[in-house]
Amino acid sequence: MLHPADLAVGAVIVGYGMWRRCHRRPKTIEIDMPYLLNVPAEIRLLIYEFVFNEPDQQSASSFLRPLLTCQQIYHEAYRYAFLRSRFVLPVDSPAGPFLSPHILRLPSSKLSYLRYLEITWSCTFCNIHEISRLFVELSRGPLRLDQFTFSIRLPACKNPFCSKLAPVYRETREFGRYVMEELPLMDNVQKIVIPSPGISIKKSYQMLFAPNKPCLKLGGSADAPTIRLSAKKLGNWRYTVIRDGTDVRRWKLELTHYQETKKKRAT
């Protein structure tokens, strides 16, 4: 049998071990450990370039997540992140004095680094007055975009474009006329991409967006309306239809500056 004194000694040893485990001091970070903020700033900038590489199909929220690490990393790395991130922002209500999403009201020092932006028009109606307001806001802001994509995704807004009579409807004709004839040059945008808003008929797409095809013009009176084909009075952009196979719904219209196009041909 164990002597009571031995049991007492054993209990003391076990208790002391448990106390040491609960009061163990945390390890301190040594200055020579591979800790990011201990790395020279020049090396950190190279790391940021590697981390914020091409985003591919990655969403902007996932691509920018490393910026949430700490304030110092944010201020050092946001330039690399904004330059390569592809922002997709919705506009779902035309109410209010401004149509552009709230993120575009960041300080100009940050917005000037954005290069790729997509606005998804999620309003119920394709109101050309509101759409033109949006383009004006973007053209007067601090953005310097390599590519701006404007897409219509809401089914209610796409329905007129999906119809066989798409070139006849007023809102589709107004949208096509604004894009092809009235949209002014934007000095701060090098290229505008407009994916097909659900059009599945080749002839309908050509009447609305093909630069070398005529469009429908409605005239006459309410009692005796007339419809005729008329050549588009193209604006100051260079208009190119990019065909991705035979599915018209995957086609897109690209608007580029003539000067930029000449530079690419020269190189």
Side-chain angles (χ1 to χ4, degrees):
M1 294 181 61
L2 293 175
H3 194 275
D6 296 332
L7 293 175
V9 172
V12 170
I13 294 174
V14 172
Y16 179 74
M18 295 179 64
W19 180 86
R20 285 287 304 272
R21 182 177 298 179
C22 295
H23 294 79
R24 184 179 299 171
R25 292 183 179 180
K27 292 183 178 180
T28 58
I29 298 177
E30 301 294 338
I31 194 65
D32 57 348
M33 290 183 65
Y35 180 55
L36 181 59
L37 296 182
N38 289 335
V39 175
E42 295 80 2
I43 305 299
R44 287 203 302 272
L45 297 181
L46 294 176
I47 294 174
Y48 299 147
E49 284 198 40
F50 177 79
V51 171
F52 296 107
N53 205 337
E54 294 298 328
D56 297 326
Q57 301 299 322
Q58 194 175 7
S59 64
S61 58
S62 299
F63 186 71
L64 300 176
R65 192 170 297 165
L67 296 180
L68 302 177
T69 305
C70 69
Q71 191 173 14
Q72 181 176 344
I73 290 178
Y74 173 84
H75 286 294
E76 291 179 349
Y78 78 84
R79 299 172 181 83
Y80 302 93
F82 282 19
L83 279 170
R84 292 164 182 165
S85 182
R86 299 181 183 274
F87 290 87
V88 181
L89 307 174
V91 173
D92 50 17
S93 175
F98 299 102
L99 287 177
S100 53
H102 291 285
I103 193 173
L104 298 184
R105 299 168 206 172
L106 288 171
S108 58
S109 59
K110 292 182 172 60
L111 287 181
S112 61
Y113 288 100
L114 267 68
R115 291 296 179 267
Y116 302 96
L117 172 65
E118 178 178 354
I119 294 291
T120 60
W121 188 259
S122 301
C123 302
T124 307
F125 300 102
C126 188
N127 189 315
I128 199 61
H129 175 68
E130 306 297 346
I131 292 176
S132 62
R133 277 181 54 202
L134 173 65
F135 276 89
V136 169
E137 287 180 22
L138 295 176
S139 66
R140 295 178 179 176
L143 293 172
R144 294 292 180 268
L145 298 177
D146 290 339
Q147 178 175 312
F148 170 59
T149 303
F150 180 85
S151 59
I152 299 175
R153 292 189 178 181
L154 194 68
C157 191
K158 292 173 65 174
N159 283 339
F161 293 95
C162 298
S163 171
K164 295 180 179 180
L165 301 176
V168 180
Y169 291 139
R170 177 181 176 182
E171 57 185 296
T172 57
R173 286 188 294 106
E174 288 182 346
F175 181 74
R177 183 174 67 249
Y178 176 75
V179 170
M180 302 299 296
E181 302 180 6
E182 301 174 1
L183 178 60
L185 279 176
M186 301 172 68
D187 294 333
N188 59 342
V189 178
Q190 297 304 318
K191 179 168 66 174
I192 297 177
V193 177
I194 302 178
S196 173
I199 301 175
S200 59
I201 301 175
K202 179 180 178 181
K203 192 171 184 179
S204 297
Y205 186 94
Q206 291 176 335
M207 286 185 177
L208 291 172
F209 301 114
N212 58 342
K213 299 294 183 180
C215 61
L216 288 181
K217 296 288 186 180
L218 274 65
S221 61
D223 297 330
T226 60
I227 301 178
R228 61 185 176 87
L229 291 175
S230 177
K232 298 182 179 73
K233 299 178 181 179
L234 299 178
N236 296 321
W237 295 88
R238 179 181 178 86
Y239 305 87
T240 307
V241 176
I242 307 299
R243 304 186 181 189
D244 185 2
T246 58
D247 188 355
V248 182
R249 292 170 297 182
R250 300 178 62 182
W251 292 6
K252 57 186 178 182
L253 176 68
E254 288 189 355
L255 285 67
T256 53
H257 290 255
Y258 273 100
Q259 186 176 2
E260 291 297 320
T261 306
K262 291 179 181 178
K263 287 182 180 179
K264 289 182 180 179
R265 288 182 177 178
T267 56

